[in-house]
Amino acid sequence: MAPWVLSNSNVSLEGTETIVKSPFPFFIACYVEGRPKPKIMWLKDGENIDEIFENNGEVSLSDENQTLDFKYATKKYEGKYECNVENRVGHIQPFTNVIIEDETLAPSDTNLVITIVSFTIIFIIVFSFVIILVIRIKKNKIIRNDMLQLELFFLREGNVGKLNKECTIEEQAELLPYDNSFEIERENITLGKQLGSGAFGRVLLAQVKGLNGKESPTRVALKM
C-alpha cells in the first residue's frame, strides 16, 4: 500500500504555510501510513536537513522521523520543508513553507514591561540601600561596643603609667584603677527626703548599711 499523509500533519501534498512567532519553539509534523512502513527523509529548500543542521542542537527529529522539532524560531529556519516519504509501493513528498514572524508587543504589553522593569529597578535600589544601612548600623554598633569595652577596661585597670607627679591625685582620678570595694548594693540604701536640687541633679538624705564595714546604717547625702 502506497504511503499517505494523515490529517493531523501540518504538511500536505499541495503544500501548507506554517507561520510561527520568534523566538518560540515549534515543530513540523509529517504523520504518514503505508504498507510496508515507509521511510522518511526531510529536506529544506531541496537539501537534506542532516547535512544542513549537522551538529545543530536546536533542531532534532522524533516520532520515528515524523516530527521535526525546533527549540527556537529564528529567521534562519524559514524555508520550504519537504517530507520525502517512500516505500517499495510508492513515493510522496508533502511540504510546508515555514514563515518566521517577529514577536511584537502590544502597547499594553509594552507598558506592562516598562512598569515591571521600573519597579524592579526601584526595588533593587531600595533593597541595596537597606542592606548598606543595616551593614552600617551593625558596624557602628560593633564599634560602639568595642569602645565601651575599652572604656570599661581603662575604668577597671586604670592607666597608672600616665600619672603625672606634678599633678595631684584628684586631678588624675580617671587614671587610677577602679576599686569595686566601694560599691554598695542597692538594697542596702534607704532613700530619705530631698535636701536640694539644681543643674547638678538632686541630693537626698539616705541611710546606708554596711558602709565602711559598719552593720548599723550610716546617714549620707546621696546625689542622683
Side-chain angles (χ1 to χ4, degrees):
M1 183 181 295
W4 72 92
V5 182
L6 301 180
S7 60
N8 55 346
S9 302
N10 54 356
V11 296
S12 73
L13 295 175
E14 295 78 23
T16 62
E17 277 193 352
T18 302
I19 300 175
V20 294
K21 299 288 187 181
S22 173
F24 303 105
F26 71 101
F27 67 92
I28 305 171
C30 178
Y31 298 119
V32 295
E33 288 288 351
R35 297 290 184 276
K37 188 174 183 178
K39 294 181 179 180
I40 299 174
M41 181 179 69
W42 287 90
L43 305 173
K44 178 182 184 293
D45 298 327
E47 296 183 55
N48 191 323
I49 64 162
D50 291 336
E51 298 175 1
I52 300 174
F53 300 136
E54 185 178 6
N55 299 322
N56 186 335
E58 296 179 4
V59 182
S60 60
L61 289 167
S62 60
D63 293 336
E64 298 180 327
N65 287 358
Q66 294 182 105
T67 306
L68 189 58
D69 300 296
F70 298 81
K71 286 187 177 180
Y72 310 103
T74 58
K75 285 290 185 181
K76 66 181 179 181
Y77 296 132
E78 278 190 334
K80 180 181 180 181
Y81 287 83
E82 298 171 277
C83 178
N84 191 359
V85 184
E86 185 176 8
N87 64 11
R88 68 170 180 262
V89 181
H91 166 264
I92 57 174
Q93 198 157 330
F95 67 95
T96 185
N97 290 303
V98 173
I99 300 172
I100 308 295
E101 292 185 347
D102 291 331
E103 179 69 10
T104 56
L105 294 175
S108 58
D109 294 332
T110 303
N111 293 336
L112 178 61
V113 170
I114 293 173
T115 302
I116 293 173
V117 171
S118 300
F119 274 108
T120 302
I121 293 173
I122 293 172
F123 173 78
I124 292 173
I125 293 173
V126 173
F127 183 75
S128 300
F129 175 77
V130 171
I131 292 296
I132 293 172
L133 185 61
V134 169
I135 292 173
R136 285 187 176 180
I137 291 174
K138 287 186 176 181
K139 187 176 180 180
N140 290 338
K141 187 176 180 180
I142 292 172
I143 292 174
R144 286 197 301 270
N145 186 61
D146 290 343
M147 292 295 294
L148 178 60
Q149 294 300 321
L150 187 61
E151 289 176 3
L152 289 174
F153 172 79
F154 283 120
L155 177 65
R156 289 192 302 267
E157 304 298 327
N159 198 354
V160 180
K162 287 192 174 183
L163 287 173
N164 189 339
K165 295 180 180 180
E166 297 180 0
C167 299
T168 64
I169 289 296
E170 289 79 5
E171 293 174 321
Q172 307 173 84
E174 70 277 3
L175 298 177
L176 297 174
Y178 180 73
D179 188 354
N180 58 10
S181 64
F182 288 97
E183 290 185 355
I184 300 171
E185 297 294 336
R186 177 65 182 83
E187 58 266 21
N188 292 337
I189 301 174
T190 303
L191 299 178
K193 66 179 181 179
Q194 180 171 302
L195 300 177
S197 64
F200 56 84
R202 294 191 302 154
V203 177
L204 304 178
L205 180 65
Q207 299 282 341
V208 179
K209 293 181 181 180
L211 188 63
N212 295 328
K214 296 180 181 180
E215 290 295 330
S216 58
T218 302
R219 295 179 67 189
V220 298
L222 189 146
K223 181 181 177 182
M224 299 181 66

